[in-house]
Amino acid sequence: TNETVAVDTGLGGSMSGGTGRRLLRDERARGIACRWVSLAAISMMLTCCHAQSPTSSPTITRSPTASPTPFYNTTRALFSFLADVEDETVSVITIAEDFMSIDLIMTRPINISRTLTIEGECPLDGCVLSLDSPGSHIFTLGAGANVTFRNLRFVHAGVRVDQDATVAFHSCTFTGPSDGCGSGSQISAVEVGQANAAFDNCTFNGTRTDGDGGAVHLEKSTARFTSCRFLNTATCSANGKGGALYVYNASVLLESCDFVQTKAGNQGGAVYSSDGAHINFTACTFDGTRSDSFGGAVGVQGGDV
């Protein structure tokens, strides 16, 4: 049975946790700048950046029908995240923090093949999800997956979507390595193959790939981008195509999107279109995009744009 949890912040308001699980650092961990938790099945690092002290400690209340399962404190949040992702009775996971940002660094990729929403409610730098081995997929969505990511920050870690899965990203940020192409293997922030994807108000900042598509790689899929920003994304290889987007045999709609300082080693400084691609741009801007071959903004070798 899914939990329904309400969080009283002590500041005159409350937040409804909705249906699912809610992850929140408790008062006992407040004031800790950095904490390492090692567990038998899962090892993650939680980085807490202290912003300010609350006027009163958060209190937790439950609805009369709520499950008696203990509410998540810091350790329980770390221990439970992967278990809840794989628990089919949990449909919504909310990572919440009133006064700090949270960085969950997972030690293995997570496979999802069901309906699930993972959302963040964190201030400052937000709810950060990453892997301890940068440049890998943190989530792989397979057959049967219908997943929504909301208000999350993915740092140097990608999401792979395939096998007719469906994914939606709302107000998410994808951040690449600070040293550009110099930090080992690189992958597109999101790879979509034979699947469906939607991006709304998302930002790709400094993401890189050793292949094609500095931000998003699309093959045999459908995708929609609305009010998204691609900033300083690039391909690391001299043969790389699509500084931001690589589109092969896929249908893509882009509306009110900005491409700024994106670069391809070969073709399509911002977007590359290949065989069977159908790309529709509406009210999009290209500023400082470039390639070392042709198509400083959009390179077309097949399909229609």
mmCIF file of all heavy atoms in Angstrom, residues 228-278:
data_model
loop_
_atom_site.group_PDB
_atom_site.id
_atom_site.type_symbol
_atom_site.label_atom_id
_atom_site.label_comp_id
_atom_site.label_asym_id
_atom_site.label_seq_id
_atom_site.Cartn_x
_atom_site.Cartn_y
_atom_site.Cartn_z
ATOM 1 N N CYS A 228 13.489 24.330 -24.054
ATOM 2 C CA CYS A 228 14.728 23.721 -23.547
ATOM 3 C C CYS A 228 15.937 24.544 -23.981
ATOM 4 O O CYS A 228 15.902 25.264 -24.980
ATOM 5 C CB CYS A 228 14.854 22.282 -24.047
ATOM 6 S SG CYS A 228 13.623 21.148 -23.347
ATOM 7 N N ARG A 229 17.027 24.413 -23.228
ATOM 8 C CA ARG A 229 18.243 25.163 -23.492
ATOM 9 C C ARG A 229 19.429 24.195 -23.609
ATOM 10 O O ARG A 229 19.622 23.347 -22.729
ATOM 11 C CB ARG A 229 18.506 26.170 -22.364
ATOM 12 C CG ARG A 229 17.443 27.258 -22.276
ATOM 13 C CD ARG A 229 17.347 27.867 -20.901
ATOM 14 N NE ARG A 229 16.891 26.883 -19.917
ATOM 15 C CZ ARG A 229 15.625 26.521 -19.759
ATOM 16 N NH1 ARG A 229 14.683 27.027 -20.532
ATOM 17 N NH2 ARG A 229 15.276 25.631 -18.842
ATOM 18 N N PHE A 230 20.208 24.376 -24.670
ATOM 19 C CA PHE A 230 21.404 23.568 -24.899
ATOM 20 C C PHE A 230 22.599 24.524 -24.871
ATOM 21 O O PHE A 230 22.773 25.335 -25.783
ATOM 22 C CB PHE A 230 21.314 22.842 -26.239
ATOM 23 C CG PHE A 230 20.115 21.932 -26.353
ATOM 24 C CD1 PHE A 230 18.882 22.434 -26.777
ATOM 25 C CD2 PHE A 230 20.209 20.590 -26.016
ATOM 26 C CE1 PHE A 230 17.769 21.607 -26.873
ATOM 27 C CE2 PHE A 230 19.109 19.753 -26.108
ATOM 28 C CZ PHE A 230 17.891 20.261 -26.538
ATOM 29 N N LEU A 231 23.385 24.458 -23.809
ATOM 30 C CA LEU A 231 24.453 25.419 -23.574
ATOM 31 C C LEU A 231 25.813 24.719 -23.572
ATOM 32 O O LEU A 231 26.072 23.832 -22.747
ATOM 33 C CB LEU A 231 24.240 26.123 -22.231
ATOM 34 C CG LEU A 231 22.824 26.641 -21.947
ATOM 35 C CD1 LEU A 231 22.741 27.195 -20.528
ATOM 36 C CD2 LEU A 231 22.412 27.685 -22.965
ATOM 37 N N ASN A 232 26.674 25.081 -24.519
ATOM 38 C CA ASN A 232 28.050 24.585 -24.524
ATOM 39 C C ASN A 232 28.120 23.060 -24.571
ATOM 40 O O ASN A 232 28.991 22.446 -23.978
ATOM 41 C CB ASN A 232 28.803 25.114 -23.292
ATOM 42 C CG ASN A 232 30.306 24.931 -23.423
ATOM 43 O OD1 ASN A 232 30.860 25.027 -24.520
ATOM 44 N ND2 ASN A 232 30.966 24.639 -22.306
ATOM 45 N N THR A 233 27.188 22.425 -25.251
ATOM 46 C CA THR A 233 27.248 20.971 -25.436
ATOM 47 C C THR A 233 28.105 20.672 -26.659
ATOM 48 O O THR A 233 28.237 21.506 -27.561
ATOM 49 C CB THR A 233 25.841 20.381 -25.613
ATOM 50 O OG1 THR A 233 25.256 20.923 -26.807
ATOM 51 C CG2 THR A 233 24.956 20.725 -24.416
ATOM 52 N N ALA A 234 28.687 19.468 -26.711
ATOM 53 C CA ALA A 234 29.631 19.193 -27.802
ATOM 54 C C ALA A 234 29.878 17.704 -27.975
ATOM 55 O O ALA A 234 29.625 16.900 -27.066
ATOM 56 C CB ALA A 234 30.957 19.905 -27.541
ATOM 57 N N THR A 235 30.383 17.349 -29.160
ATOM 58 C CA THR A 235 30.928 16.018 -29.395
ATOM 59 C C THR A 235 32.441 16.094 -29.215
ATOM 60 O O THR A 235 33.081 17.056 -29.639
ATOM 61 C CB THR A 235 30.596 15.512 -30.809
ATOM 62 O OG1 THR A 235 31.209 16.370 -31.779
ATOM 63 C CG2 THR A 235 29.079 15.499 -31.031
ATOM 64 N N CYS A 236 33.011 15.075 -28.592
ATOM 65 C CA CYS A 236 34.447 15.086 -28.319
ATOM 66 C C CYS A 236 35.267 14.550 -29.485
ATOM 67 O O CYS A 236 36.434 14.894 -29.654
ATOM 68 C CB CYS A 236 34.741 14.259 -27.068
ATOM 69 S SG CYS A 236 34.073 14.974 -25.548
ATOM 70 N N SER A 237 34.677 13.697 -30.309
ATOM 71 C CA SER A 237 35.384 13.090 -31.424
ATOM 72 C C SER A 237 35.387 14.014 -32.637
ATOM 73 O O SER A 237 34.435 14.768 -32.870
ATOM 74 C CB SER A 237 34.724 11.756 -31.792
ATOM 75 O OG SER A 237 35.184 11.285 -33.033
ATOM 76 N N ALA A 238 36.449 13.921 -33.437
ATOM 77 C CA ALA A 238 36.518 14.691 -34.675
ATOM 78 C C ALA A 238 35.459 14.235 -35.668
ATOM 79 O O ALA A 238 35.115 14.974 -36.595
ATOM 80 C CB ALA A 238 37.907 14.562 -35.296
ATOM 81 N N ASN A 239 34.946 13.033 -35.490
ATOM 82 C CA ASN A 239 33.897 12.506 -36.369
ATOM 83 C C ASN A 239 32.497 12.672 -35.784
ATOM 84 O O ASN A 239 31.520 12.211 -36.359
ATOM 85 C CB ASN A 239 34.136 11.020 -36.655
ATOM 86 C CG ASN A 239 35.421 10.785 -37.426
ATOM 87 O OD1 ASN A 239 35.751 11.534 -38.339
ATOM 88 N ND2 ASN A 239 36.169 9.759 -37.043
ATOM 89 N N GLY A 240 32.383 13.295 -34.622
ATOM 90 C CA GLY A 240 31.104 13.421 -33.942
ATOM 91 C C GLY A 240 30.131 14.328 -34.670
ATOM 92 O O GLY A 240 30.503 15.382 -35.183
ATOM 93 N N LYS A 241 28.876 13.922 -34.699
ATOM 94 C CA LYS A 241 27.830 14.676 -35.389
ATOM 95 C C LYS A 241 26.764 15.115 -34.381
ATOM 96 O O LYS A 241 26.373 14.352 -33.507
ATOM 97 C CB LYS A 241 27.177 13.814 -36.473
ATOM 98 C CG LYS A 241 28.137 13.285 -37.531
ATOM 99 C CD LYS A 241 27.412 12.385 -38.516
ATOM 100 C CE LYS A 241 28.350 11.842 -39.588
ATOM 101 N NZ LYS A 241 29.328 10.889 -39.028
ATOM 102 N N GLY A 242 26.293 16.348 -34.544
ATOM 103 C CA GLY A 242 25.244 16.860 -33.665
ATOM 104 C C GLY A 242 25.779 17.346 -32.339
ATOM 105 O O GLY A 242 25.816 16.593 -31.366
ATOM 106 N N GLY A 243 26.193 18.616 -32.268
ATOM 107 C CA GLY A 243 26.741 19.144 -31.028
ATOM 108 C C GLY A 243 25.761 19.090 -29.868
ATOM 109 O O GLY A 243 26.161 18.958 -28.710
ATOM 110 N N ALA A 244 24.467 19.166 -30.173
ATOM 111 C CA ALA A 244 23.432 19.023 -29.140
ATOM 112 C C ALA A 244 22.574 17.792 -29.406
ATOM 113 O O ALA A 244 22.423 16.931 -28.542
ATOM 114 C CB ALA A 244 22.557 20.263 -29.075
ATOM 115 N N LEU A 245 22.010 17.679 -30.636
ATOM 116 C CA LEU A 245 21.098 16.583 -30.959
ATOM 117 C C LEU A 245 21.574 15.806 -32.177
ATOM 118 O O LEU A 245 21.969 16.391 -33.194
ATOM 119 C CB LEU A 245 19.688 17.121 -31.250
ATOM 120 C CG LEU A 245 18.995 17.972 -30.190
ATOM 121 C CD1 LEU A 245 17.621 18.388 -30.690
ATOM 122 C CD2 LEU A 245 18.886 17.213 -28.885
ATOM 123 N N TYR A 246 21.494 14.486 -32.077
ATOM 124 C CA TYR A 246 21.718 13.600 -33.215
ATOM 125 C C TYR A 246 20.397 12.889 -33.474
ATOM 126 O O TYR A 246 19.835 12.255 -32.572
ATOM 127 C CB TYR A 246 22.823 12.580 -32.906
ATOM 128 C CG TYR A 246 23.004 11.524 -33.973
ATOM 129 C CD1 TYR A 246 23.857 11.743 -35.059
ATOM 130 C CD2 TYR A 246 22.323 10.307 -33.894
ATOM 131 C CE1 TYR A 246 24.031 10.770 -36.034
ATOM 132 C CE2 TYR A 246 22.500 9.333 -34.864
ATOM 133 C CZ TYR A 246 23.352 9.565 -35.930
ATOM 134 O OH TYR A 246 23.520 8.603 -36.896
ATOM 135 N N VAL A 247 19.890 12.998 -34.701
ATOM 136 C CA VAL A 247 18.575 12.446 -35.028
ATOM 137 C C VAL A 247 18.706 11.508 -36.220
ATOM 138 O O VAL A 247 19.037 11.943 -37.336
ATOM 139 C CB VAL A 247 17.564 13.563 -35.349
ATOM 140 C CG1 VAL A 247 16.182 12.965 -35.605
ATOM 141 C CG2 VAL A 247 17.511 14.589 -34.213
ATOM 142 N N TYR A 248 18.453 10.231 -35.995
ATOM 143 C CA TYR A 248 18.479 9.228 -37.058
ATOM 144 C C TYR A 248 17.137 8.509 -37.101
ATOM 145 O O TYR A 248 16.719 7.897 -36.115
ATOM 146 C CB TYR A 248 19.614 8.216 -36.809
ATOM 147 C CG TYR A 248 19.546 6.995 -37.707
ATOM 148 C CD1 TYR A 248 19.920 7.080 -39.050
ATOM 149 C CD2 TYR A 248 19.086 5.778 -37.215
ATOM 150 C CE1 TYR A 248 19.850 5.968 -39.869
ATOM 151 C CE2 TYR A 248 19.014 4.659 -38.027
ATOM 152 C CZ TYR A 248 19.394 4.764 -39.360
ATOM 153 O OH TYR A 248 19.311 3.662 -40.174
ATOM 154 N N ASN A 249 16.465 8.610 -38.244
ATOM 155 C CA ASN A 249 15.197 7.910 -38.454
ATOM 156 C C ASN A 249 14.244 8.132 -37.272
ATOM 157 O O ASN A 249 13.653 7.205 -36.731
ATOM 158 C CB ASN A 249 15.450 6.413 -38.663
ATOM 159 C CG ASN A 249 14.230 5.691 -39.221
ATOM 160 O OD1 ASN A 249 13.321 6.315 -39.768
ATOM 161 N ND2 ASN A 249 14.192 4.378 -39.070
ATOM 162 N N ALA A 250 14.107 9.393 -36.866
ATOM 163 C CA ALA A 250 13.268 9.737 -35.719
ATOM 164 C C ALA A 250 12.480 11.000 -36.038
ATOM 165 O O ALA A 250 12.899 11.824 -36.862
ATOM 166 C CB ALA A 250 14.115 9.946 -34.474
ATOM 167 N N SER A 251 11.333 11.155 -35.365
ATOM 168 C CA SER A 251 10.506 12.346 -35.534
ATOM 169 C C SER A 251 10.677 13.243 -34.312
ATOM 170 O O SER A 251 10.444 12.802 -33.172
ATOM 171 C CB SER A 251 9.026 11.956 -35.686
ATOM 172 O OG SER A 251 8.831 11.198 -36.872
ATOM 173 N N VAL A 252 11.073 14.490 -34.550
ATOM 174 C CA VAL A 252 11.413 15.384 -33.450
ATOM 175 C C VAL A 252 10.748 16.741 -33.655
ATOM 176 O O VAL A 252 10.804 17.329 -34.736
ATOM 177 C CB VAL A 252 12.943 15.573 -33.347
ATOM 178 C CG1 VAL A 252 13.287 16.502 -32.188
ATOM 179 C CG2 VAL A 252 13.638 14.229 -33.173
ATOM 180 N N LEU A 253 10.126 17.231 -32.586
ATOM 181 C CA LEU A 253 9.526 18.559 -32.578
ATOM 182 C C LEU A 253 10.248 19.406 -31.545
ATOM 183 O O LEU A 253 10.362 19.013 -30.377
ATOM 184 C CB LEU A 253 8.035 18.470 -32.236
ATOM 185 C CG LEU A 253 7.293 19.800 -32.017
ATOM 186 C CD1 LEU A 253 7.260 20.616 -33.312
ATOM 187 C CD2 LEU A 253 5.870 19.543 -31.521
ATOM 188 N N LEU A 254 10.740 20.571 -31.975
ATOM 189 C CA LEU A 254 11.419 21.497 -31.069
ATOM 190 C C LEU A 254 10.704 22.835 -31.112
ATOM 191 O O LEU A 254 10.570 23.441 -32.178
ATOM 192 C CB LEU A 254 12.880 21.680 -31.453
ATOM 193 C CG LEU A 254 13.752 20.427 -31.369
ATOM 194 C CD1 LEU A 254 14.123 19.952 -32.765
ATOM 195 C CD2 LEU A 254 15.009 20.688 -30.560
ATOM 196 N N GLU A 255 10.273 23.298 -29.950
ATOM 197 C CA GLU A 255 9.531 24.556 -29.861
ATOM 198 C C GLU A 255 10.143 25.449 -28.785
ATOM 199 O O GLU A 255 10.353 25.030 -27.652
ATOM 200 C CB GLU A 255 8.067 24.288 -29.534
ATOM 201 C CG GLU A 255 7.209 25.535 -29.482
ATOM 202 C CD GLU A 255 5.744 25.227 -29.247
ATOM 203 O OE1 GLU A 255 5.400 24.039 -29.089
ATOM 204 O OE2 GLU A 255 4.940 26.179 -29.220
ATOM 205 N N SER A 256 10.492 26.673 -29.168
ATOM 206 C CA SER A 256 11.042 27.676 -28.240
ATOM 207 C C SER A 256 12.275 27.146 -27.520
ATOM 208 O O SER A 256 12.418 27.286 -26.295
ATOM 209 C CB SER A 256 9.974 28.103 -27.220
ATOM 210 O OG SER A 256 8.849 28.649 -27.873
ATOM 211 N N CYS A 257 13.181 26.568 -28.279
ATOM 212 C CA CYS A 257 14.433 26.041 -27.709
ATOM 213 C C CYS A 257 15.615 26.914 -28.133
ATOM 214 O O CYS A 257 15.603 27.518 -29.214
ATOM 215 C CB CYS A 257 14.659 24.601 -28.160
ATOM 216 S SG CYS A 257 13.452 23.422 -27.508
ATOM 217 N N ASP A 258 16.642 26.991 -27.271
ATOM 218 C CA ASP A 258 17.826 27.795 -27.539
ATOM 219 C C ASP A 258 19.061 26.908 -27.600
ATOM 220 O O ASP A 258 19.269 26.057 -26.725
ATOM 221 C CB ASP A 258 18.015 28.840 -26.440
ATOM 222 C CG ASP A 258 16.841 29.801 -26.344
ATOM 223 O OD1 ASP A 258 16.289 30.175 -27.401
ATOM 224 O OD2 ASP A 258 16.468 30.168 -25.211
ATOM 225 N N PHE A 259 19.894 27.123 -28.630
ATOM 226 C CA PHE A 259 21.161 26.428 -28.782
ATOM 227 C C PHE A 259 22.266 27.481 -28.722
ATOM 228 O O PHE A 259 22.332 28.366 -29.582
ATOM 229 C CB PHE A 259 21.214 25.679 -30.116
ATOM 230 C CG PHE A 259 20.145 24.617 -30.268
ATOM 231 C CD1 PHE A 259 18.874 24.954 -30.718
ATOM 232 C CD2 PHE A 259 20.420 23.295 -29.957
ATOM 233 C CE1 PHE A 259 17.890 23.993 -30.865
ATOM 234 C CE2 PHE A 259 19.436 22.323 -30.096
ATOM 235 C CZ PHE A 259 18.180 22.672 -30.549
ATOM 236 N N VAL A 260 23.108 27.399 -27.706
ATOM 237 C CA VAL A 260 24.125 28.435 -27.483
ATOM 238 C C VAL A 260 25.506 27.777 -27.346
ATOM 239 O O VAL A 260 25.730 26.907 -26.498
ATOM 240 C CB VAL A 260 23.812 29.245 -26.201
ATOM 241 C CG1 VAL A 260 24.868 30.314 -25.982
ATOM 242 C CG2 VAL A 260 22.421 29.868 -26.292
ATOM 243 N N GLN A 261 26.439 28.179 -28.234
ATOM 244 C CA GLN A 261 27.831 27.721 -28.179
ATOM 245 C C GLN A 261 27.939 26.193 -28.202
ATOM 246 O O GLN A 261 28.766 25.608 -27.507
ATOM 247 C CB GLN A 261 28.529 28.287 -26.936
ATOM 248 C CG GLN A 261 28.616 29.795 -26.875
ATOM 249 C CD GLN A 261 29.471 30.396 -27.999
ATOM 250 O OE1 GLN A 261 30.493 29.816 -28.376
ATOM 251 N NE2 GLN A 261 29.059 31.524 -28.539
ATOM 252 N N THR A 262 27.111 25.547 -28.987
ATOM 253 C CA THR A 262 27.232 24.094 -29.161
ATOM 254 C C THR A 262 28.187 23.813 -30.317
ATOM 255 O O THR A 262 28.308 24.602 -31.255
ATOM 256 C CB THR A 262 25.867 23.461 -29.436
ATOM 257 O OG1 THR A 262 25.326 24.001 -30.646
ATOM 258 C CG2 THR A 262 24.894 23.759 -28.288
ATOM 259 N N LYS A 263 28.845 22.636 -30.274
ATOM 260 C CA LYS A 263 29.887 22.363 -31.271
ATOM 261 C C LYS A 263 29.930 20.887 -31.620
ATOM 262 O O LYS A 263 29.862 20.021 -30.738
ATOM 263 C CB LYS A 263 31.257 22.806 -30.756
ATOM 264 C CG LYS A 263 32.399 22.599 -31.738
ATOM 265 C CD LYS A 263 33.710 23.055 -31.149
ATOM 266 C CE LYS A 263 34.845 22.918 -32.170
ATOM 267 N NZ LYS A 263 35.058 21.518 -32.596
ATOM 268 N N ALA A 264 30.085 20.618 -32.933
ATOM 269 C CA ALA A 264 30.271 19.249 -33.413
ATOM 270 C C ALA A 264 31.641 19.121 -34.054
ATOM 271 O O ALA A 264 32.089 20.029 -34.765
ATOM 272 C CB ALA A 264 29.183 18.880 -34.415
ATOM 273 N N GLY A 265 32.298 17.987 -33.819
ATOM 274 C CA GLY A 265 33.592 17.761 -34.445
ATOM 275 C C GLY A 265 33.490 17.561 -35.936
ATOM 276 O O GLY A 265 34.448 17.808 -36.670
ATOM 277 N N ASN A 266 32.303 17.127 -36.391
ATOM 278 C CA ASN A 266 32.146 16.876 -37.813
ATOM 279 C C ASN A 266 31.014 17.717 -38.397
ATOM 280 O O ASN A 266 31.251 18.765 -38.961
ATOM 281 C CB ASN A 266 31.898 15.380 -38.058
ATOM 282 C CG ASN A 266 32.026 14.980 -39.523
ATOM 283 O OD1 ASN A 266 31.650 15.725 -40.402
ATOM 284 N ND2 ASN A 266 32.556 13.800 -39.774
ATOM 285 N N GLN A 267 29.776 17.288 -38.249
ATOM 286 C CA GLN A 267 28.652 17.950 -38.926
ATOM 287 C C GLN A 267 27.538 18.280 -37.927
ATOM 288 O O GLN A 267 27.309 17.549 -36.975
ATOM 289 C CB GLN A 267 28.094 17.031 -40.017
ATOM 290 C CG GLN A 267 29.130 16.593 -41.042
ATOM 291 C CD GLN A 267 28.651 15.426 -41.891
ATOM 292 O OE1 GLN A 267 27.461 15.179 -41.974
ATOM 293 N NE2 GLN A 267 29.577 14.714 -42.510
ATOM 294 N N GLY A 268 26.857 19.389 -38.201
ATOM 295 C CA GLY A 268 25.721 19.775 -37.374
ATOM 296 C C GLY A 268 26.144 20.336 -36.036
ATOM 297 O O GLY A 268 26.106 19.653 -35.012
ATOM 298 N N GLY A 269 26.536 21.603 -36.024
ATOM 299 C CA GLY A 269 27.023 22.204 -34.786
ATOM 300 C C GLY A 269 26.020 22.141 -33.650
ATOM 301 O O GLY A 269 26.398 22.006 -32.488
ATOM 302 N N ALA A 270 24.738 22.215 -33.969
ATOM 303 C CA ALA A 270 23.690 22.076 -32.951
ATOM 304 C C ALA A 270 22.903 20.785 -33.159
ATOM 305 O O ALA A 270 22.732 19.994 -32.239
ATOM 306 C CB ALA A 270 22.744 23.271 -32.978
ATOM 307 N N VAL A 271 22.420 20.578 -34.409
ATOM 308 C CA VAL A 271 21.550 19.432 -34.697
ATOM 309 C C VAL A 271 22.027 18.738 -35.966
ATOM 310 O O VAL A 271 22.361 19.398 -36.970
ATOM 311 C CB VAL A 271 20.082 19.880 -34.868
ATOM 312 C CG1 VAL A 271 19.185 18.693 -35.176
ATOM 313 C CG2 VAL A 271 19.594 20.620 -33.624
ATOM 314 N N TYR A 272 22.040 17.419 -35.940
ATOM 315 C CA TYR A 272 22.374 16.630 -37.121
ATOM 316 C C TYR A 272 21.190 15.754 -37.490
ATOM 317 O O TYR A 272 20.626 15.050 -36.642
ATOM 318 C CB TYR A 272 23.602 15.750 -36.860
ATOM 319 C CG TYR A 272 23.937 14.824 -38.019
ATOM 320 C CD1 TYR A 272 24.620 15.291 -39.131
ATOM 321 C CD2 TYR A 272 23.559 13.488 -37.986
ATOM 322 C CE1 TYR A 272 24.933 14.447 -40.187
ATOM 323 C CE2 TYR A 272 23.863 12.623 -39.029
ATOM 324 C CZ TYR A 272 24.549 13.119 -40.135
ATOM 325 O OH TYR A 272 24.845 12.271 -41.182
ATOM 326 N N SER A 273 20.793 15.798 -38.771
ATOM 327 C CA SER A 273 19.672 15.018 -39.272
ATOM 328 C C SER A 273 20.181 13.976 -40.255
ATOM 329 O O SER A 273 20.881 14.301 -41.224
ATOM 330 C CB SER A 273 18.651 15.938 -39.965
ATOM 331 O OG SER A 273 17.665 15.189 -40.645
ATOM 332 N N SER A 274 19.823 12.708 -40.007
ATOM 333 C CA SER A 274 20.258 11.623 -40.872
ATOM 334 C C SER A 274 19.049 10.913 -41.467
ATOM 335 O O SER A 274 17.908 11.380 -41.352
ATOM 336 C CB SER A 274 21.129 10.649 -40.074
ATOM 337 O OG SER A 274 21.699 9.677 -40.939
ATOM 338 N N ASP A 275 19.280 9.772 -42.091
ATOM 339 C CA ASP A 275 18.252 9.066 -42.859
ATOM 340 C C ASP A 275 16.949 8.903 -42.080
ATOM 341 O O ASP A 275 16.955 8.465 -40.927
ATOM 342 C CB ASP A 275 18.764 7.682 -43.272
ATOM 343 C CG ASP A 275 19.967 7.753 -44.197
ATOM 344 O OD1 ASP A 275 20.197 8.836 -44.756
ATOM 345 O OD2 ASP A 275 20.679 6.743 -44.333
ATOM 346 N N GLY A 276 15.838 9.230 -42.721
ATOM 347 C CA GLY A 276 14.525 9.005 -42.147
ATOM 348 C C GLY A 276 14.117 9.978 -41.059
ATOM 349 O O GLY A 276 13.065 9.817 -40.436
ATOM 350 N N ALA A 277 14.916 11.004 -40.815
ATOM 351 C CA ALA A 277 14.602 11.953 -39.744
ATOM 352 C C ALA A 277 13.559 12.964 -40.212
ATOM 353 O O ALA A 277 13.538 13.381 -41.379
ATOM 354 C CB ALA A 277 15.858 12.673 -39.294
ATOM 355 N N HIS A 278 12.695 13.368 -39.287
ATOM 356 C CA HIS A 278 11.719 14.429 -39.526
ATOM 357 C C HIS A 278 11.834 15.398 -38.347
ATOM 358 O O HIS A 278 11.491 15.054 -37.218
ATOM 359 C CB HIS A 278 10.303 13.862 -39.616
ATOM 360 C CG HIS A 278 10.115 12.848 -40.696
ATOM 361 N ND1 HIS A 278 9.867 13.182 -42.009
ATOM 362 C CD2 HIS A 278 10.168 11.492 -40.655
ATOM 363 C CE1 HIS A 278 9.756 12.085 -42.730
ATOM 364 N NE2 HIS A 278 9.936 11.047 -41.939
#
